[in-house]
Amino acid sequence: MAKKPNTPAAGQIRIIGGLWRGRKLPVPHSPGLRPTTDRVRETLFNWLAPVLQGAHCLDCFAGSGALGLEALSRYAASATLLEFERPVAQQLEKNLALLNAKDAQVFNVNTLNWLAKAGNAFDVVFLDPPFRKGILQDTLNLLEQNNWLADEAWIYVETEAEHDTLDVPASWRLHREKVAGQVAYRLYHRDVTPETGSPEQEM
């Protein structure tokens, strides 16, 4: 018998909620590609449920597209997906075509270079960078410095579990956080409105 090539098979992701619930989409093999698990996505999108419909979303390290596509399925207004690896970006475009997703764009770019220019404000930003590459902090800083975030933006950050603290901009407030196995995930809310006392204080 001929020996099979020793290369991992391509996988797939499943949309878990909304318009395309249950749809399975192909994902090419690429080193370091690590789709956000169904369990984590379910929790994240429960957190985002009150604010996602009609939101403009940015998926900074799109990979499989699990986050950006899930957002579109749940009636986000648009999704911009950034992906460095060309074959992965090409598959994202094919998957958007399969879904007939009109309000999405894929950019085959280096995310840090893309964020280094002045940007348009997004309502929801997903950050799931390749682990242990040392690029998360620069990404956080560029998002804040170059006007990529709406005043009341929500920022999702997925990291290695050993990243127990993150140096986030002063205007970001931790809204929720959890650990699942080797992954820590957090949702931040950006608030740059002028402080006028303590509006949340009980009367």
Side-chain angles (χ1 to χ4, degrees), residues 84-141:
F84 180 68
E85 298 291 342
R86 182 175 294 278
V88 180
Q90 289 172 336
Q91 186 62 60
L92 285 172
E93 291 176 340
K94 290 176 184 176
N95 287 347
L96 288 172
L98 282 172
L99 295 169
N100 196 28
K102 304 294 187 186
D103 300 312
Q105 287 182 292
V106 177
F107 292 94
N108 179 206
V109 293
N110 177 300
T111 294
L112 293 181
N113 291 345
W114 201 82
L115 295 176
K117 59 189 180 183
N120 299 314
F122 287 89
D123 304 304
V124 176
V125 176
F126 301 108
L127 297 177
D128 182 12
F131 281 2
R132 301 176 182 88
K133 297 293 185 183
I135 58 178
L136 178 58
Q137 192 61 56
D138 287 342
T139 306
L140 301 178
N141 295 341

Short mmCIF file of all heavy atoms in Angstrom, two decimals, residues 84-141:
data_model
loop_
_atom_site.label_atom_id
_atom_site.label_comp_id
_atom_site.label_asym_id
_atom_site.label_seq_id
_atom_site.Cartn_x
_atom_site.Cartn_y
_atom_site.Cartn_z
N PHE A 84 -3.14 36.84 7.51
CA PHE A 84 -1.81 36.95 6.89
C PHE A 84 -1.53 35.84 5.88
O PHE A 84 -0.94 36.07 4.83
CB PHE A 84 -0.75 36.94 7.99
CG PHE A 84 0.65 37.05 7.46
CD1 PHE A 84 1.10 38.23 6.88
CD2 PHE A 84 1.53 35.98 7.54
CE1 PHE A 84 2.39 38.34 6.39
CE2 PHE A 84 2.83 36.08 7.05
CZ PHE A 84 3.26 37.26 6.47
N GLU A 85 -1.93 34.61 6.18
CA GLU A 85 -1.61 33.47 5.31
C GLU A 85 -2.55 33.47 4.10
O GLU A 85 -3.76 33.39 4.24
CB GLU A 85 -1.75 32.15 6.08
CG GLU A 85 -0.79 32.01 7.26
CD GLU A 85 0.65 31.85 6.82
OE1 GLU A 85 0.89 31.50 5.63
OE2 GLU A 85 1.55 32.06 7.66
N ARG A 86 -1.94 33.51 2.91
CA ARG A 86 -2.76 33.63 1.70
C ARG A 86 -3.75 32.48 1.51
O ARG A 86 -4.93 32.72 1.22
CB ARG A 86 -1.86 33.77 0.46
CG ARG A 86 -2.65 33.96 -0.83
CD ARG A 86 -1.71 34.22 -2.00
NE ARG A 86 -1.02 35.48 -1.86
CZ ARG A 86 -1.52 36.67 -2.18
NH1 ARG A 86 -2.73 36.76 -2.67
NH2 ARG A 86 -0.81 37.76 -2.03
N PRO A 87 -3.35 31.21 1.66
CA PRO A 87 -4.33 30.13 1.47
C PRO A 87 -5.50 30.21 2.45
O PRO A 87 -6.63 29.88 2.10
CB PRO A 87 -3.51 28.85 1.68
CG PRO A 87 -2.09 29.26 1.47
CD PRO A 87 -2.01 30.67 1.93
N VAL A 88 -5.21 30.66 3.66
CA VAL A 88 -6.27 30.78 4.67
C VAL A 88 -7.21 31.92 4.29
O VAL A 88 -8.44 31.79 4.39
CB VAL A 88 -5.66 30.99 6.07
CG1 VAL A 88 -6.76 31.13 7.12
CG2 VAL A 88 -4.73 29.83 6.44
N ALA A 89 -6.64 33.04 3.84
CA ALA A 89 -7.47 34.17 3.41
C ALA A 89 -8.33 33.78 2.21
O ALA A 89 -9.50 34.17 2.11
CB ALA A 89 -6.57 35.36 3.06
N GLN A 90 -7.76 33.01 1.28
CA GLN A 90 -8.53 32.58 0.11
C GLN A 90 -9.70 31.68 0.51
O GLN A 90 -10.79 31.78 -0.05
CB GLN A 90 -7.60 31.86 -0.87
CG GLN A 90 -6.61 32.80 -1.56
CD GLN A 90 -5.57 32.06 -2.37
OE1 GLN A 90 -5.27 30.88 -2.13
NE2 GLN A 90 -4.99 32.76 -3.35
N GLN A 91 -9.47 30.81 1.51
CA GLN A 91 -10.57 29.95 1.97
C GLN A 91 -11.65 30.78 2.66
O GLN A 91 -12.85 30.49 2.53
CB GLN A 91 -10.05 28.87 2.92
CG GLN A 91 -11.09 27.85 3.33
CD GLN A 91 -11.64 27.08 2.14
OE1 GLN A 91 -10.89 26.40 1.43
NE2 GLN A 91 -12.95 27.17 1.90
N LEU A 92 -11.25 31.81 3.40
CA LEU A 92 -12.24 32.70 4.00
C LEU A 92 -13.13 33.33 2.94
O LEU A 92 -14.36 33.40 3.10
CB LEU A 92 -11.54 33.80 4.80
CG LEU A 92 -10.93 33.41 6.15
CD1 LEU A 92 -10.11 34.57 6.70
CD2 LEU A 92 -12.01 33.02 7.14
N GLU A 93 -12.51 33.77 1.84
CA GLU A 93 -13.31 34.37 0.76
C GLU A 93 -14.27 33.35 0.16
O GLU A 93 -15.43 33.67 -0.14
CB GLU A 93 -12.36 34.93 -0.31
CG GLU A 93 -11.59 36.16 0.17
CD GLU A 93 -10.59 36.66 -0.85
OE1 GLU A 93 -10.21 35.87 -1.74
OE2 GLU A 93 -10.18 37.84 -0.76
N LYS A 94 -13.82 32.11 0.00
CA LYS A 94 -14.69 31.06 -0.53
C LYS A 94 -15.86 30.80 0.43
O LYS A 94 -17.00 30.60 0.01
CB LYS A 94 -13.89 29.78 -0.74
CG LYS A 94 -12.89 29.87 -1.89
CD LYS A 94 -12.07 28.59 -1.99
CE LYS A 94 -10.99 28.70 -3.06
NZ LYS A 94 -10.13 27.48 -3.09
N ASN A 95 -15.56 30.78 1.73
CA ASN A 95 -16.61 30.52 2.70
C ASN A 95 -17.64 31.64 2.74
O ASN A 95 -18.84 31.40 2.88
CB ASN A 95 -16.01 30.29 4.08
CG ASN A 95 -15.29 28.95 4.20
OD1 ASN A 95 -15.45 28.08 3.34
ND2 ASN A 95 -14.52 28.78 5.24
N LEU A 96 -17.18 32.87 2.60
CA LEU A 96 -18.12 33.99 2.53
C LEU A 96 -19.01 33.87 1.30
O LEU A 96 -20.21 34.16 1.36
CB LEU A 96 -17.35 35.31 2.49
CG LEU A 96 -16.67 35.74 3.79
CD1 LEU A 96 -15.78 36.95 3.55
CD2 LEU A 96 -17.69 36.05 4.88
N ALA A 97 -18.42 33.41 0.19
CA ALA A 97 -19.22 33.22 -1.04
C ALA A 97 -20.24 32.10 -0.84
O ALA A 97 -21.40 32.20 -1.28
CB ALA A 97 -18.29 32.91 -2.21
N LEU A 98 -19.83 31.01 -0.17
CA LEU A 98 -20.75 29.91 0.10
C LEU A 98 -21.95 30.37 0.92
O LEU A 98 -23.07 29.92 0.71
CB LEU A 98 -20.02 28.80 0.88
CG LEU A 98 -19.11 27.86 0.09
CD1 LEU A 98 -18.34 26.96 1.05
CD2 LEU A 98 -19.92 27.02 -0.90
N LEU A 99 -21.69 31.28 1.85
CA LEU A 99 -22.75 31.79 2.72
C LEU A 99 -23.52 32.95 2.09
O LEU A 99 -24.50 33.41 2.66
CB LEU A 99 -22.14 32.25 4.05
CG LEU A 99 -21.49 31.17 4.92
CD1 LEU A 99 -20.71 31.81 6.06
CD2 LEU A 99 -22.53 30.19 5.45
N ASN A 100 -23.03 33.39 0.94
CA ASN A 100 -23.62 34.57 0.29
C ASN A 100 -23.60 35.77 1.24
O ASN A 100 -24.57 36.53 1.33
CB ASN A 100 -25.04 34.28 -0.18
CG ASN A 100 -25.54 35.30 -1.19
OD1 ASN A 100 -24.75 35.90 -1.92
ND2 ASN A 100 -26.84 35.54 -1.21
N ALA A 101 -22.48 35.91 1.95
CA ALA A 101 -22.32 36.99 2.92
C ALA A 101 -21.88 38.25 2.20
O ALA A 101 -20.75 38.34 1.70
CB ALA A 101 -21.29 36.60 3.98
N LYS A 102 -22.76 39.23 2.13
CA LYS A 102 -22.49 40.45 1.37
C LYS A 102 -21.73 41.50 2.18
O LYS A 102 -21.03 42.34 1.62
CB LYS A 102 -23.82 41.06 0.89
CG LYS A 102 -24.68 40.13 0.06
CD LYS A 102 -24.04 39.78 -1.26
CE LYS A 102 -24.98 38.99 -2.15
NZ LYS A 102 -24.34 38.51 -3.37
N ASP A 103 -21.90 41.48 3.48
CA ASP A 103 -21.38 42.57 4.32
C ASP A 103 -20.08 42.18 5.01
O ASP A 103 -19.90 42.41 6.20
CB ASP A 103 -22.42 42.98 5.35
CG ASP A 103 -23.70 43.47 4.68
OD1 ASP A 103 -23.60 44.29 3.76
OD2 ASP A 103 -24.79 42.99 5.06
N ALA A 104 -19.18 41.58 4.23
CA ALA A 104 -17.90 41.13 4.80
C ALA A 104 -16.79 41.34 3.80
O ALA A 104 -17.00 41.27 2.58
CB ALA A 104 -17.99 39.67 5.20
N GLN A 105 -15.60 41.60 4.32
CA GLN A 105 -14.41 41.77 3.50
C GLN A 105 -13.27 40.99 4.13
O GLN A 105 -13.14 40.95 5.37
CB GLN A 105 -14.00 43.24 3.42
CG GLN A 105 -14.88 44.11 2.57
CD GLN A 105 -14.33 45.54 2.53
OE1 GLN A 105 -14.35 46.23 3.53
NE2 GLN A 105 -13.83 45.97 1.38
N VAL A 106 -12.44 40.38 3.28
CA VAL A 106 -11.23 39.70 3.74
C VAL A 106 -10.03 40.46 3.19
O VAL A 106 -9.98 40.79 2.00
CB VAL A 106 -11.19 38.24 3.24
CG1 VAL A 106 -9.88 37.57 3.66
CG2 VAL A 106 -12.38 37.46 3.76
N PHE A 107 -9.08 40.75 4.06
CA PHE A 107 -7.83 41.38 3.64
C PHE A 107 -6.67 40.45 3.97
O PHE A 107 -6.50 40.06 5.13
CB PHE A 107 -7.63 42.72 4.36
CG PHE A 107 -8.60 43.78 3.95
CD1 PHE A 107 -9.77 43.99 4.68
CD2 PHE A 107 -8.37 44.58 2.83
CE1 PHE A 107 -10.69 44.97 4.31
CE2 PHE A 107 -9.28 45.55 2.45
CZ PHE A 107 -10.44 45.74 3.19
N ASN A 108 -5.90 40.09 2.95
CA ASN A 108 -4.72 39.24 3.12
C ASN A 108 -3.54 40.15 3.47
O ASN A 108 -2.83 40.63 2.59
CB ASN A 108 -4.49 38.46 1.82
CG ASN A 108 -3.27 37.56 1.87
OD1 ASN A 108 -2.68 37.25 0.84
ND2 ASN A 108 -2.86 37.13 3.05
N VAL A 109 -3.38 40.44 4.76
CA VAL A 109 -2.43 41.46 5.20
C VAL A 109 -1.76 41.04 6.50
O VAL A 109 -2.21 40.13 7.21
CB VAL A 109 -3.15 42.81 5.47
CG1 VAL A 109 -3.68 43.41 4.19
CG2 VAL A 109 -4.25 42.66 6.49
N ASN A 110 -0.67 41.73 6.81
CA ASN A 110 -0.07 41.70 8.14
C ASN A 110 -0.90 42.63 9.03
O ASN A 110 -1.00 43.83 8.75
CB ASN A 110 1.38 42.16 8.05
CG ASN A 110 2.06 42.22 9.41
OD1 ASN A 110 1.64 42.93 10.31
ND2 ASN A 110 3.13 41.45 9.57
N THR A 111 -1.49 42.08 10.06
CA THR A 111 -2.42 42.86 10.88
C THR A 111 -1.76 44.09 11.49
O THR A 111 -2.37 45.18 11.51
CB THR A 111 -3.01 41.96 11.99
OG1 THR A 111 -3.82 40.95 11.37
CG2 THR A 111 -3.86 42.76 12.96
N LEU A 112 -0.55 43.96 11.99
CA LEU A 112 0.11 45.11 12.61
C LEU A 112 0.33 46.23 11.60
O LEU A 112 0.16 47.41 11.93
CB LEU A 112 1.43 44.69 13.26
CG LEU A 112 1.32 43.76 14.47
CD1 LEU A 112 2.69 43.45 15.02
CD2 LEU A 112 0.43 44.36 15.56
N ASN A 113 0.71 45.88 10.39
CA ASN A 113 0.88 46.90 9.35
C ASN A 113 -0.44 47.58 9.02
O ASN A 113 -0.51 48.80 8.81
CB ASN A 113 1.47 46.28 8.08
CG ASN A 113 2.91 45.82 8.25
OD1 ASN A 113 3.57 46.21 9.22
ND2 ASN A 113 3.39 44.99 7.35
N TRP A 114 -1.50 46.80 8.97
CA TRP A 114 -2.83 47.32 8.64
C TRP A 114 -3.32 48.28 9.71
O TRP A 114 -3.88 49.33 9.43
CB TRP A 114 -3.79 46.15 8.46
CG TRP A 114 -5.02 46.43 7.66
CD1 TRP A 114 -5.13 46.45 6.30
CD2 TRP A 114 -6.33 46.71 8.17
NE1 TRP A 114 -6.42 46.71 5.93
CE2 TRP A 114 -7.20 46.87 7.05
CE3 TRP A 114 -6.87 46.82 9.44
CZ2 TRP A 114 -8.55 47.15 7.18
CZ3 TRP A 114 -8.22 47.10 9.58
CH2 TRP A 114 -9.05 47.26 8.47
N LEU A 115 -3.07 47.91 10.97
CA LEU A 115 -3.52 48.75 12.09
C LEU A 115 -2.64 49.97 12.32
O LEU A 115 -3.01 50.87 13.07
CB LEU A 115 -3.57 47.92 13.38
CG LEU A 115 -4.58 46.77 13.43
CD1 LEU A 115 -4.43 46.02 14.75
CD2 LEU A 115 -6.01 47.28 13.27
N ALA A 116 -1.47 49.99 11.67
CA ALA A 116 -0.53 51.11 11.89
C ALA A 116 -1.00 52.40 11.22
O ALA A 116 -0.49 53.48 11.51
CB ALA A 116 0.86 50.74 11.37
N LYS A 117 -1.98 52.29 10.33
CA LYS A 117 -2.52 53.50 9.69
C LYS A 117 -3.76 53.96 10.45
O LYS A 117 -4.31 53.23 11.29
CB LYS A 117 -2.86 53.20 8.23
CG LYS A 117 -3.87 52.09 8.07
CD LYS A 117 -4.04 51.67 6.62
CE LYS A 117 -5.07 50.54 6.51
NZ LYS A 117 -5.22 50.04 5.15
N ALA A 118 -4.21 55.17 10.16
CA ALA A 118 -5.42 55.67 10.80
C ALA A 118 -6.61 54.86 10.32
O ALA A 118 -6.72 54.52 9.14
CB ALA A 118 -5.61 57.14 10.46
N GLY A 119 -7.51 54.55 11.27
CA GLY A 119 -8.58 53.63 10.94
C GLY A 119 -9.97 54.20 11.08
O GLY A 119 -10.17 55.37 11.42
N ASN A 120 -10.94 53.34 10.77
CA ASN A 120 -12.35 53.63 10.98
C ASN A 120 -12.80 52.88 12.23
O ASN A 120 -12.38 51.76 12.48
CB ASN A 120 -13.17 53.16 9.78
CG ASN A 120 -12.78 53.88 8.50
OD1 ASN A 120 -12.63 55.10 8.50
ND2 ASN A 120 -12.58 53.13 7.43
N ALA A 121 -13.67 53.49 13.00
CA ALA A 121 -14.06 52.92 14.29
C ALA A 121 -14.95 51.70 14.12
O ALA A 121 -15.93 51.72 13.36
CB ALA A 121 -14.76 53.97 15.12
N PHE A 122 -14.62 50.63 14.85
CA PHE A 122 -15.42 49.42 14.89
C PHE A 122 -16.09 49.29 16.25
O PHE A 122 -15.56 49.73 17.28
CB PHE A 122 -14.55 48.19 14.63
CG PHE A 122 -14.12 48.04 13.19
CD1 PHE A 122 -12.95 48.64 12.74
CD2 PHE A 122 -14.89 47.32 12.29
CE1 PHE A 122 -12.55 48.51 11.43
CE2 PHE A 122 -14.50 47.19 10.97
CZ PHE A 122 -13.34 47.78 10.53
N ASP A 123 -17.26 48.63 16.25
CA ASP A 123 -18.02 48.44 17.49
C ASP A 123 -17.55 47.23 18.28
O ASP A 123 -17.59 47.23 19.51
CB ASP A 123 -19.51 48.27 17.16
CG ASP A 123 -20.06 49.42 16.35
OD1 ASP A 123 -19.94 50.57 16.82
OD2 ASP A 123 -20.60 49.18 15.26
N VAL A 124 -17.17 46.18 17.57
CA VAL A 124 -16.72 44.93 18.20
C VAL A 124 -15.44 44.49 17.51
O VAL A 124 -15.38 44.43 16.27
CB VAL A 124 -17.79 43.83 18.09
CG1 VAL A 124 -17.27 42.51 18.67
CG2 VAL A 124 -19.09 44.24 18.79
N VAL A 125 -14.41 44.18 18.31
CA VAL A 125 -13.13 43.74 17.76
C VAL A 125 -12.77 42.40 18.39
O VAL A 125 -12.86 42.23 19.61
CB VAL A 125 -12.02 44.78 18.02
CG1 VAL A 125 -10.68 44.26 17.54
CG2 VAL A 125 -12.36 46.10 17.35
N PHE A 126 -12.36 41.46 17.54
CA PHE A 126 -11.93 40.14 18.01
C PHE A 126 -10.42 40.03 17.88
O PHE A 126 -9.87 40.26 16.79
CB PHE A 126 -12.59 39.03 17.17
CG PHE A 126 -14.09 39.05 17.21
CD1 PHE A 126 -14.82 39.45 16.10
CD2 PHE A 126 -14.77 38.66 18.35
CE1 PHE A 126 -16.21 39.46 16.12
CE2 PHE A 126 -16.16 38.67 18.38
CZ PHE A 126 -16.88 39.07 17.27
N LEU A 127 -9.76 39.63 18.96
CA LEU A 127 -8.30 39.46 18.97
C LEU A 127 -7.98 38.05 19.44
O LEU A 127 -8.07 37.73 20.63
CB LEU A 127 -7.64 40.46 19.92
CG LEU A 127 -7.79 41.94 19.60
CD1 LEU A 127 -7.12 42.78 20.68
CD2 LEU A 127 -7.18 42.25 18.25
N ASP A 128 -7.61 37.22 18.49
CA ASP A 128 -7.19 35.85 18.80
C ASP A 128 -5.90 35.59 18.03
O ASP A 128 -5.87 34.82 17.07
CB ASP A 128 -8.30 34.86 18.39
CG ASP A 128 -7.95 33.42 18.72
OD1 ASP A 128 -6.97 33.20 19.46
OD2 ASP A 128 -8.63 32.52 18.22
N PRO A 129 -4.79 36.25 18.46
CA PRO A 129 -3.55 36.16 17.69
C PRO A 129 -2.87 34.80 17.88
O PRO A 129 -3.19 34.06 18.82
CB PRO A 129 -2.70 37.27 18.31
CG PRO A 129 -3.18 37.37 19.72
CD PRO A 129 -4.66 37.10 19.65
N PRO A 130 -1.94 34.47 16.98
CA PRO A 130 -1.14 33.26 17.19
C PRO A 130 -0.47 33.31 18.56
O PRO A 130 0.05 34.34 18.96
CB PRO A 130 -0.10 33.32 16.06
CG PRO A 130 -0.70 34.21 15.03
CD PRO A 130 -1.53 35.20 15.78
N PHE A 131 -0.53 32.21 19.27
CA PHE A 131 0.03 32.17 20.62
C PHE A 131 1.56 32.26 20.59
O PHE A 131 2.21 31.81 19.67
CB PHE A 131 -0.38 30.88 21.32
CG PHE A 131 -1.79 30.89 21.86
CD1 PHE A 131 -2.63 31.99 21.68
CD2 PHE A 131 -2.28 29.81 22.57
CE1 PHE A 131 -3.91 32.01 22.19
CE2 PHE A 131 -3.58 29.81 23.08
CZ PHE A 131 -4.39 30.91 22.89
N ARG A 132 2.08 32.89 21.63
CA ARG A 132 3.52 32.96 21.89
C ARG A 132 4.32 33.57 20.76
O ARG A 132 5.43 33.17 20.48
CB ARG A 132 4.06 31.55 22.24
CG ARG A 132 3.36 30.97 23.48
CD ARG A 132 3.79 29.55 23.81
NE ARG A 132 3.03 29.08 24.96
CZ ARG A 132 1.83 28.48 24.89
NH1 ARG A 132 1.28 28.27 23.70
NH2 ARG A 132 1.20 28.09 25.99
N LYS A 133 3.73 34.56 20.09
CA LYS A 133 4.43 35.28 19.03
C LYS A 133 4.76 36.72 19.45
O LYS A 133 5.42 37.45 18.70
CB LYS A 133 3.59 35.32 17.75
CG LYS A 133 3.32 33.96 17.14
CD LYS A 133 4.58 33.30 16.62
CE LYS A 133 4.26 32.00 15.90
NZ LYS A 133 5.49 31.31 15.43
N GLY A 134 4.28 37.14 20.61
CA GLY A 134 4.62 38.46 21.13
C GLY A 134 4.02 39.62 20.37
O GLY A 134 4.59 40.72 20.37
N ILE A 135 2.86 39.42 19.73
CA ILE A 135 2.28 40.50 18.93
C ILE A 135 1.03 41.10 19.55
O ILE A 135 0.51 42.10 19.04
CB ILE A 135 1.97 40.04 17.49
CG1 ILE A 135 1.02 38.84 17.50
CG2 ILE A 135 3.25 39.69 16.75
CD1 ILE A 135 0.64 38.36 16.11
N LEU A 136 0.54 40.52 20.63
CA LEU A 136 -0.72 40.99 21.19
C LEU A 136 -0.62 42.42 21.71
O LEU A 136 -1.50 43.25 21.45
CB LEU A 136 -1.18 40.06 22.31
CG LEU A 136 -2.47 40.47 23.02
CD1 LEU A 136 -3.63 40.59 22.03
CD2 LEU A 136 -2.81 39.50 24.14
N GLN A 137 0.44 42.73 22.45
CA GLN A 137 0.54 44.06 23.05
C GLN A 137 0.57 45.16 22.00
O GLN A 137 -0.10 46.19 22.13
CB GLN A 137 1.78 44.15 23.94
CG GLN A 137 1.81 45.38 24.84
CD GLN A 137 0.62 45.43 25.79
OE1 GLN A 137 0.39 44.49 26.55
NE2 GLN A 137 -0.15 46.51 25.75
N ASP A 138 1.34 44.95 20.93
CA ASP A 138 1.38 45.94 19.86
C ASP A 138 0.00 46.11 19.22
O ASP A 138 -0.40 47.22 18.86
CB ASP A 138 2.38 45.53 18.78
CG ASP A 138 3.83 45.70 19.23
OD1 ASP A 138 4.05 46.44 20.22
OD2 ASP A 138 4.72 45.10 18.61
N THR A 139 -0.73 45.01 19.11
CA THR A 139 -2.07 45.08 18.53
C THR A 139 -3.00 45.92 19.40
O THR A 139 -3.73 46.78 18.90
CB THR A 139 -2.64 43.66 18.36
OG1 THR A 139 -1.73 42.85 17.63
CG2 THR A 139 -3.97 43.71 17.62
N LEU A 140 -2.97 45.67 20.71
CA LEU A 140 -3.79 46.46 21.63
C LEU A 140 -3.48 47.95 21.50
O LEU A 140 -4.39 48.78 21.43
CB LEU A 140 -3.54 46.01 23.07
CG LEU A 140 -3.82 44.56 23.45
CD1 LEU A 140 -3.47 44.32 24.91
CD2 LEU A 140 -5.27 44.19 23.20
N ASN A 141 -2.19 48.27 21.46
CA ASN A 141 -1.79 49.67 21.41
C ASN A 141 -2.22 50.35 20.12
O ASN A 141 -2.71 51.48 20.12
CB ASN A 141 -0.27 49.78 21.56
CG ASN A 141 0.22 49.30 22.92
OD1 ASN A 141 -0.55 49.22 23.88
ND2 ASN A 141 1.50 48.97 23.01
#
